[in-house]
Amino acid sequence: MRASSHVSDTFGRNDAGLAPSGFLLFACSGTFSAFFPVMLRTSLRSLTALCSLAASALLPGASAATLTLEGALAAVEESSFTLLLSREAVLQALEVQRQSRAGLMPTVSLDAVQRRSRSASFGENLTRGGVNDRFDANLNGRLDLLNPQRIANYAAARLGVSVAELDVDVTRQTVMATVAQTYFQHLRNLSRTVVLDANVARARALLDLAKRQVDAQVATQIDVTRAEAQVATAEQARLQHETFLQSSELALKRLLALELTDGLTLSPFTVRRAEASAFAASLEQTAFEKRVELLRAQRLLEQNELEVRAAKFGRLPAAGITGSTGLAAQRVFDDEDARIWAVSVSVNMPVFDGSRIKALTNLALSRQRAQELRVQELKLRIGAEVRLATQDARSRFAQVAVAERSKRLAEDELRLAQVRFENGVADNREIIDAQNNLAIASDNLVEAVYQYNLSRVELARVTGDVRGILAERED
């Protein structure tokens, strides 16, 4: 039992007795002296493999990297293809804004034309004129003095940039939540690997014990056969788990655009145990203030209101000034030239446009009403999400405690079954059943911790900041 205590103390436990990220919860629990030889050999092999990985990481050219949850969330900014694509939408919105602003700025152009013509007139007789040459160089300009529709369109385009930027924030929160969930999923699979290795070690220890009991004529050959079948089942489960482990690792690498061939080591992250009810009262109001989806929807509603105004402004008159100045000569670069200029002021007011302005106004009003409904629906959805996430975190918190108690009972069951078999009171079927129950209880505990971590990530997401999960780390 000293060896068991040493392993647990080395890796540390929190107040609830859980090692970081559920690791080594099951390292040597519920075993006795008969189980130590095989389990010790397995532990030594695992330790040797870990040392080899650590040594390779220190050697030049090693590709293994240690990734923390904080580092994974920070890497989203530069590595997430989804986020990078959403930033392109911001650049497009900026260009749309510049395009709208161009309609409010003066336009200036330079025209230079060299003409050569010959005219003719028809009457009683055909009269042919001579050949005429003319060169004109004009600097032309136009400025809209008043165009309410273009002004409103520019204001709507500016809000469009703000909406696009909020779209990036929405995407960032979504991607970060996915990264955090995948990070905890891979930690869960690593913890499950420890569980499966412990199952294999217990099964092999049982096989050794059964053989010794047969040699001592306390057990029969069928006990050995059952133990061999138990070893085969445990080893098969361990081999099948390799696929799940590889899948979660590749998913995390893909999200962070990491090299698929490089090694990856995750830093353990233990979420602090806390009931969500302790701070549930203010969560809903916090969500309304921080949820980027709601801010985006409200900004988009403002943009729709400006689009309605721009459509109505199409009925108003628009005024502009046009001017030009330049030179006129017979030929280009001729010394004999004359300065010419012209100035005009225009007012344009639509009288009949085939109901185009009315159709545009009705379309903009329909979009505004639709967006108002979306804002109302989003507020209800956010409130429901916060309440559901709070309840889920509270439930998952309680389930971890139940899973820990189930595991302790399974360990006691295995201990009692071990004593009965060693004393020849029963065959090893009780041990096999107890080992299976312990394997299930151990796996349930890993899953319970994983689901609790996911519930805290979801709670951070629905309240508006996935990075808030970093503040929940167990010291």
Side-chain angles (χ1 to χ4, degrees), residues 321-393:
I321 182 171
T322 304
S324 67
T325 182
L327 298 174
Q330 186 175 12
R331 292 183 180 86
V332 62
F333 303 128
D334 200 340
D335 292 337
E336 295 182 1
D337 54 38
R339 180 170 296 279
I340 57 176
W341 58 269
V343 176
S344 63
V345 177
S346 63
V347 177
N348 181 285
M349 182 173 182
V351 177
F352 177 76
D353 61 358
S355 299
R356 183 183 66 87
I357 295 177
K358 181 179 180 181
L360 291 175
T361 303
N362 291 337
L363 178 60
L365 285 171
S366 176
R367 290 174 177 170
Q368 178 183 353
R369 290 191 298 269
Q371 188 60 26
E372 288 173 349
L373 294 175
R374 293 190 188 98
V375 171
Q376 294 176 10
E377 188 275 334
L378 186 56
K379 287 181 178 179
L380 293 175
R381 178 159 59 87
I382 289 175
E385 286 180 351
V386 171
R387 292 173 183 270
L388 181 60
T390 303
Q391 168 58 31
D392 187 54

Side-chain angles (χ1 to χ4, degrees), residues 73 76-77 171-181 466-467:
L73 296 181
V76 166
E77 293 293 335
T171 303
R172 180 183 294 109
Q173 291 297 315
T174 302
V175 173
M176 282 186 174
T178 304
V179 168
Q181 291 166 358
V466 176
R467 288 191 183 92

